[in-house]
PDB file of all heavy atoms in Angstrom:
ATOM      1  N   PRO B1472     150.489  90.797 136.700  1.00 93.00           N
ATOM      2  CA  PRO B1472     150.614  89.741 135.711  1.00 93.00           C
ATOM      3  C   PRO B1472     152.011  89.324 135.495  1.00 93.00           C
ATOM      4  O   PRO B1472     152.985  90.008 135.530  1.00 93.00           O
ATOM      5  CB  PRO B1472     150.073  90.445 134.433  1.00 93.00           C
ATOM      6  CG  PRO B1472     150.216  91.892 134.687  1.00 93.00           C
ATOM      7  CD  PRO B1472     150.203  92.091 136.190  1.00 93.00           C
ATOM      8  N   LEU B1473     152.205  87.990 135.307  1.00 90.00           N
ATOM      9  CA  LEU B1473     153.463  87.369 135.144  1.00 90.00           C
ATOM     10  C   LEU B1473     153.570  86.576 133.868  1.00 90.00           C
ATOM     11  O   LEU B1473     152.559  86.051 133.385  1.00 90.00           O
ATOM     12  CB  LEU B1473     153.790  86.442 136.342  1.00 90.00           C
ATOM     13  CG  LEU B1473     153.654  86.997 137.733  1.00 90.00           C
ATOM     14  CD1 LEU B1473     153.816  85.877 138.796  1.00 90.00           C
ATOM     15  CD2 LEU B1473     154.783  88.028 138.000  1.00 90.00           C
ATOM     16  N   THR B1474     154.743  86.562 133.298  1.00 85.00           N
ATOM     17  CA  THR B1474     155.009  85.794 132.041  1.00 85.00           C
ATOM     18  C   THR B1474     156.131  84.740 132.415  1.00 85.00           C
ATOM     19  O   THR B1474     156.921  84.949 133.244  1.00 85.00           O
ATOM     20  CB  THR B1474     155.382  86.627 130.956  1.00 85.00           C
ATOM     21  OG1 THR B1474     156.603  87.419 131.273  1.00 85.00           O
ATOM     22  CG2 THR B1474     154.283  87.612 130.536  1.00 85.00           C
ATOM     23  N   ALA B1475     156.123  83.621 131.658  1.00 76.00           N
ATOM     24  CA  ALA B1475     157.135  82.612 131.727  1.00 76.00           C
ATOM     25  C   ALA B1475     158.268  83.041 130.813  1.00 76.00           C
ATOM     26  O   ALA B1475     158.099  83.760 129.783  1.00 76.00           O
ATOM     27  CB  ALA B1475     156.574  81.270 131.331  1.00 76.00           C
ATOM     28  N   ARG B1476     159.432  82.581 131.167  1.00 70.00           N
ATOM     29  CA  ARG B1476     160.615  82.833 130.290  1.00 70.00           C
ATOM     30  C   ARG B1476     160.345  82.265 128.907  1.00 70.00           C
ATOM     31  O   ARG B1476     159.831  81.140 128.807  1.00 70.00           O
ATOM     32  CB  ARG B1476     161.845  82.164 130.869  1.00 70.00           C
ATOM     33  CG  ARG B1476     163.112  82.467 130.116  1.00 70.00           C
ATOM     34  CD  ARG B1476     164.293  81.753 130.801  1.00 70.00           C
ATOM     35  NE  ARG B1476     164.436  82.182 132.175  1.00 70.00           N
ATOM     36  CZ  ARG B1476     165.018  81.463 133.141  1.00 70.00           C
ATOM     37  NH1 ARG B1476     165.425  80.297 132.819  1.00 70.00           N
ATOM     38  NH2 ARG B1476     165.126  81.911 134.357  1.00 70.00           N
ATOM     39  N   GLY B1477     160.560  83.066 127.920  1.00 63.00           N
ATOM     40  CA  GLY B1477     160.351  82.593 126.573  1.00 63.00           C
ATOM     41  C   GLY B1477     158.974  82.957 125.979  1.00 63.00           C
ATOM     42  O   GLY B1477     158.644  82.630 124.877  1.00 63.00           O
ATOM     43  N   ASP B1478     158.133  83.586 126.835  1.00 66.00           N
ATOM     44  CA  ASP B1478     156.898  83.996 126.315  1.00 66.00           C
ATOM     45  C   ASP B1478     156.971  85.039 125.205  1.00 66.00           C
ATOM     46  O   ASP B1478     157.837  85.836 125.198  1.00 66.00           O
ATOM     47  CB  ASP B1478     155.969  84.570 127.523  1.00 66.00           C
ATOM     48  CG  ASP B1478     155.158  83.557 128.211  1.00 66.00           C
ATOM     49  OD1 ASP B1478     155.250  82.339 127.888  1.00 66.00           O
ATOM     50  OD2 ASP B1478     154.458  83.898 129.181  1.00 66.00           O
ATOM     51  N   PHE B1479     155.984  84.989 124.324  1.00 64.00           N
ATOM     52  CA  PHE B1479     155.956  85.836 123.215  1.00 64.00           C
ATOM     53  C   PHE B1479     155.622  87.223 123.684  1.00 64.00           C
ATOM     54  O   PHE B1479     154.584  87.438 124.343  1.00 64.00           O
ATOM     55  CB  PHE B1479     155.013  85.399 122.186  1.00 64.00           C
ATOM     56  CG  PHE B1479     154.754  86.260 121.005  1.00 64.00           C
ATOM     57  CD1 PHE B1479     155.721  86.281 119.966  1.00 64.00           C
ATOM     58  CD2 PHE B1479     153.661  86.988 120.820  1.00 64.00           C
ATOM     59  CE1 PHE B1479     155.560  87.171 118.918  1.00 64.00           C
ATOM     60  CE2 PHE B1479     153.459  87.839 119.699  1.00 64.00           C
ATOM     61  CZ  PHE B1479     154.387  87.883 118.728  1.00 64.00           C
ATOM     62  N   LEU B1480     156.464  88.251 123.404  1.00 68.00           N
ATOM     63  CA  LEU B1480     156.233  89.672 123.782  1.00 68.00           C
ATOM     64  C   LEU B1480     155.712  89.827 125.241  1.00 68.00           C
ATOM     65  O   LEU B1480     154.571  90.189 125.442  1.00 68.00           O
ATOM     66  CB  LEU B1480     155.275  90.301 122.773  1.00 68.00           C
ATOM     67  CG  LEU B1480     155.731  90.317 121.287  1.00 68.00           C
ATOM     68  CD1 LEU B1480     154.601  90.866 120.432  1.00 68.00           C
ATOM     69  CD2 LEU B1480     156.980  91.187 121.193  1.00 68.00           C
ATOM     70  N   PRO B1481     156.577  89.579 126.232  1.00 68.00           N
ATOM     71  CA  PRO B1481     156.137  89.641 127.581  1.00 68.00           C
ATOM     72  C   PRO B1481     155.572  90.991 128.056  1.00 68.00           C
ATOM     73  O   PRO B1481     154.843  90.973 128.934  1.00 68.00           O
ATOM     74  CB  PRO B1481     157.459  89.284 128.391  1.00 68.00           C
ATOM     75  CG  PRO B1481     158.564  89.525 127.378  1.00 68.00           C
ATOM     76  CD  PRO B1481     158.017  89.278 126.068  1.00 68.00           C
ATOM     77  N   GLY B1482     155.941  92.021 127.407  1.00 79.00           N
ATOM     78  CA  GLY B1482     155.419  93.361 127.775  1.00 79.00           C
ATOM     79  C   GLY B1482     153.911  93.428 127.567  1.00 79.00           C
ATOM     80  O   GLY B1482     153.230  94.252 128.174  1.00 79.00           O
ATOM     81  N   LEU B1483     153.374  92.611 126.689  1.00 81.00           N
ATOM     82  CA  LEU B1483     151.971  92.625 126.461  1.00 81.00           C
ATOM     83  C   LEU B1483     151.077  92.155 127.559  1.00 81.00           C
ATOM     84  O   LEU B1483     149.903  92.402 127.703  1.00 81.00           O
ATOM     85  CB  LEU B1483     151.624  91.821 125.168  1.00 81.00           C
ATOM     86  CG  LEU B1483     152.096  92.372 123.899  1.00 81.00           C
ATOM     87  CD1 LEU B1483     151.765  91.364 122.761  1.00 81.00           C
ATOM     88  CD2 LEU B1483     151.425  93.771 123.595  1.00 81.00           C
ATOM     89  N   ALA B1484     151.726  91.459 128.501  1.00 84.00           N
ATOM     90  CA  ALA B1484     151.014  90.981 129.749  1.00 84.00           C
ATOM     91  C   ALA B1484     150.447  92.031 130.538  1.00 84.00           C
ATOM     92  O   ALA B1484     149.395  91.913 131.161  1.00 84.00           O
ATOM     93  CB  ALA B1484     151.945  89.992 130.548  1.00 84.00           C
ATOM     94  N   LYS B1485     151.156  93.179 130.626  1.00 86.00           N
ATOM     95  CA  LYS B1485     150.651  94.343 131.422  1.00 86.00           C
ATOM     96  C   LYS B1485     149.485  95.014 130.737  1.00 86.00           C
ATOM     97  O   LYS B1485     148.590  95.549 131.351  1.00 86.00           O
ATOM     98  CB  LYS B1485     151.786  95.341 131.616  1.00 86.00           C
ATOM     99  CG  LYS B1485     152.835  94.774 132.559  1.00 86.00           C
ATOM    100  CD  LYS B1485     153.885  95.760 132.825  1.00 86.00           C
ATOM    101  CE  LYS B1485     154.946  95.075 133.764  1.00 86.00           C
ATOM    102  NZ  LYS B1485     156.160  95.874 133.912  1.00 86.00           N
ATOM    103  N   ILE B1486     149.461  94.923 129.379  1.00 86.00           N
ATOM    104  CA  ILE B1486     148.439  95.547 128.642  1.00 86.00           C
ATOM    105  C   ILE B1486     147.146  94.632 128.575  1.00 86.00           C
ATOM    106  O   ILE B1486     146.050  95.163 128.700  1.00 86.00           O
ATOM    107  CB  ILE B1486     148.930  95.887 127.231  1.00 86.00           C
ATOM    108  CG1 ILE B1486     150.014  96.894 127.289  1.00 86.00           C
ATOM    109  CG2 ILE B1486     147.752  96.401 126.331  1.00 86.00           C
ATOM    110  CD1 ILE B1486     150.793  97.003 126.007  1.00 86.00           C
ATOM    111  N   CYS B1487     147.365  93.377 128.310  1.00 86.00           N
ATOM    112  CA  CYS B1487     146.281  92.419 128.209  1.00 86.00           C
ATOM    113  C   CYS B1487     146.602  91.137 128.858  1.00 86.00           C
ATOM    114  O   CYS B1487     146.941  90.144 128.322  1.00 86.00           O
ATOM    115  CB  CYS B1487     145.988  92.154 126.718  1.00 86.00           C
ATOM    116  SG  CYS B1487     144.521  91.140 126.420  1.00 86.00           S
ATOM    117  N   PRO B1488     146.581  91.186 130.245  1.00 90.00           N
ATOM    118  CA  PRO B1488     146.951  89.991 131.090  1.00 90.00           C
ATOM    119  C   PRO B1488     146.183  88.746 130.817  1.00 90.00           C
ATOM    120  O   PRO B1488     146.696  87.694 130.859  1.00 90.00           O
ATOM    121  CB  PRO B1488     146.793  90.506 132.531  1.00 90.00           C
ATOM    122  CG  PRO B1488     146.013  91.741 132.495  1.00 90.00           C
ATOM    123  CD  PRO B1488     146.095  92.271 131.131  1.00 90.00           C
ATOM    124  N   ASN B1489     144.840  88.853 130.570  1.00 91.00           N
ATOM    125  CA  ASN B1489     144.066  87.663 130.301  1.00 91.00           C
ATOM    126  C   ASN B1489     144.552  86.848 129.084  1.00 91.00           C
ATOM    127  O   ASN B1489     144.374  85.632 129.065  1.00 91.00           O
ATOM    128  CB  ASN B1489     142.613  87.999 130.223  1.00 91.00           C
ATOM    129  CG  ASN B1489     141.712  86.837 130.442  1.00 91.00           C
ATOM    130  OD1 ASN B1489     141.845  86.191 131.486  1.00 91.00           O
ATOM    131  ND2 ASN B1489     140.784  86.509 129.500  1.00 91.00           N
ATOM    132  N   LEU B1490     145.245  87.480 128.142  1.00 90.00           N
ATOM    133  CA  LEU B1490     145.684  86.858 126.932  1.00 90.00           C
ATOM    134  C   LEU B1490     147.194  86.490 127.015  1.00 90.00           C
ATOM    135  O   LEU B1490     147.620  85.504 126.613  1.00 90.00           O
ATOM    136  CB  LEU B1490     145.469  87.693 125.690  1.00 90.00           C
ATOM    137  CG  LEU B1490     145.734  87.056 124.393  1.00 90.00           C
ATOM    138  CD1 LEU B1490     144.962  85.751 124.133  1.00 90.00           C
ATOM    139  CD2 LEU B1490     145.362  88.093 123.313  1.00 90.00           C
ATOM    140  N   PHE B1491     147.984  87.382 127.685  1.00 90.00           N
ATOM    141  CA  PHE B1491     149.405  87.274 127.627  1.00 90.00           C
ATOM    142  C   PHE B1491     150.148  86.925 128.937  1.00 90.00           C
ATOM    143  O   PHE B1491     151.301  86.694 128.946  1.00 90.00           O
ATOM    144  CB  PHE B1491     150.006  88.491 127.005  1.00 90.00           C
ATOM    145  CG  PHE B1491     149.634  88.656 125.574  1.00 90.00           C
ATOM    146  CD1 PHE B1491     148.764  89.612 125.179  1.00 90.00           C
ATOM    147  CD2 PHE B1491     150.189  87.802 124.602  1.00 90.00           C
ATOM    148  CE1 PHE B1491     148.441  89.823 123.840  1.00 90.00           C
ATOM    149  CE2 PHE B1491     149.816  88.040 123.286  1.00 90.00           C
ATOM    150  CZ  PHE B1491     148.917  88.977 122.952  1.00 90.00           C
ATOM    151  N   ALA B1492     149.440  86.889 130.073  1.00 91.00           N
ATOM    152  CA  ALA B1492     150.066  86.517 131.406  1.00 91.00           C
ATOM    153  C   ALA B1492     149.736  85.042 131.649  1.00 91.00           C
ATOM    154  O   ALA B1492     148.637  84.634 131.636  1.00 91.00           O
ATOM    155  CB  ALA B1492     149.518  87.385 132.475  1.00 91.00           C
ATOM    156  N   SER B1493     150.819  84.311 131.867  1.00 89.00           N
ATOM    157  CA  SER B1493     150.637  82.878 132.121  1.00 89.00           C
ATOM    158  C   SER B1493     150.198  82.640 133.562  1.00 89.00           C
ATOM    159  O   SER B1493     149.572  81.646 133.927  1.00 89.00           O
ATOM    160  CB  SER B1493     151.870  82.060 131.838  1.00 89.00           C
ATOM    161  OG  SER B1493     153.018  82.636 132.533  1.00 89.00           O
ATOM    162  N   ASN B1494     150.554  83.584 134.417  1.00 91.00           N
ATOM    163  CA  ASN B1494     150.151  83.519 135.880  1.00 91.00           C
ATOM    164  C   ASN B1494     149.866  85.055 136.306  1.00 91.00           C
ATOM    165  O   ASN B1494     150.249  86.015 135.548  1.00 91.00           O
ATOM    166  CB  ASN B1494     151.230  83.044 136.808  1.00 91.00           C
ATOM    167  CG  ASN B1494     151.473  81.593 136.573  1.00 91.00           C
ATOM    168  OD1 ASN B1494     150.770  80.754 137.072  1.00 91.00           O
ATOM    169  ND2 ASN B1494     152.553  81.269 135.846  1.00 91.00           N
ATOM    170  N   CYS B1495     149.156  85.205 137.408  1.00 93.00           N
ATOM    171  CA  CYS B1495     148.924  86.507 137.963  1.00 93.00           C
ATOM    172  C   CYS B1495     148.857  86.476 139.474  1.00 93.00           C
ATOM    173  O   CYS B1495     148.302  85.428 139.967  1.00 93.00           O
ATOM    174  CB  CYS B1495     147.606  87.025 137.389  1.00 93.00           C
ATOM    175  SG  CYS B1495     147.393  88.786 137.640  1.00 93.00           S
ATOM    176  N   ILE B1496     149.479  87.440 140.077  1.00 95.00           N
ATOM    177  CA  ILE B1496     149.374  87.588 141.532  1.00 95.00           C
ATOM    178  C   ILE B1496     148.260  88.600 141.856  1.00 95.00           C
ATOM    179  O   ILE B1496     148.148  89.663 141.313  1.00 95.00           O
ATOM    180  CB  ILE B1496     150.665  88.091 142.160  1.00 95.00           C
ATOM    181  CG1 ILE B1496     151.862  87.240 141.719  1.00 95.00           C
ATOM    182  CG2 ILE B1496     150.518  88.208 143.642  1.00 95.00           C
ATOM    183  CD1 ILE B1496     151.893  85.851 142.272  1.00 95.00           C
ATOM    184  N   PHE B1497     147.373  88.192 142.670  1.00 97.00           N
ATOM    185  CA  PHE B1497     146.214  89.048 143.109  1.00 97.00           C
ATOM    186  C   PHE B1497     146.387  89.345 144.591  1.00 97.00           C
ATOM    187  O   PHE B1497     146.587  88.443 145.346  1.00 97.00           O
ATOM    188  CB  PHE B1497     144.866  88.450 142.903  1.00 97.00           C
ATOM    189  CG  PHE B1497     144.390  88.279 141.444  1.00 97.00           C
ATOM    190  CD1 PHE B1497     144.817  87.231 140.686  1.00 97.00           C
ATOM    191  CD2 PHE B1497     143.557  89.226 140.905  1.00 97.00           C
ATOM    192  CE1 PHE B1497     144.418  87.117 139.389  1.00 97.00           C
ATOM    193  CE2 PHE B1497     143.214  89.173 139.564  1.00 97.00           C
ATOM    194  CZ  PHE B1497     143.577  88.116 138.848  1.00 97.00           C
TER     195      PHE B1497
END
Side-chain angles (χ1 to χ4, degrees):
L1473 304 171
T1474 57
R1476 186 177 302 152
D1478 271 0
F1479 178 73
L1480 299 174
L1483 291 176
K1485 291 179 182 172
I1486 298 166
C1487 187
N1489 200 53
L1490 187 58
F1491 294 107
S1493 54
N1494 291 282
C1495 193
I1496 306 294
F1497 287 86

